[in-house]
Amino acid sequence: MSDNTPNEDDLREEAKERMDEMPAETALGNADPAGGSDESPEDYEAEYGHEGGS
């Protein structure tokens, strides 16, 4: 592993922070009122773009 490769703990922490920022959604992709955010998943993607995937 090279020196500039993040370690697993750092990656887990960054992933947790990103998940906390994302709006909650139901299995159908609708905003989840119990999730604590009134932002819809579509609004989030419009503002932040779709990051991730392959």
Side-chain angles (χ1 to χ4, degrees), residues 18-51:
R18 288 188 181 195
M19 290 299 296
D20 290 342
E21 294 171 2
M22 295 180 71
E25 61 183 62
T26 65
L28 298 176
N30 302 316
D32 183 358
S37 173
D38 59 359
E39 184 177 4
S40 75
E42 292 82 12
D43 292 341
Y44 180 88
E45 286 187 9
E47 184 172 343
Y48 299 103
H50 179 56
E51 296 180 11

Side-chain angles (χ1 to χ4, degrees), residues 1-20:
M1 204 183 311
S2 67
D3 291 335
N4 63 351
T5 302
N7 69 37
E8 190 171 329
D9 291 335
D10 290 342
L11 292 174
R12 287 182 192 276
E13 183 62 30
E14 183 177 345
K16 182 181 181 315
E17 289 171 5
R18 288 188 181 195
M19 290 299 296
D20 290 342

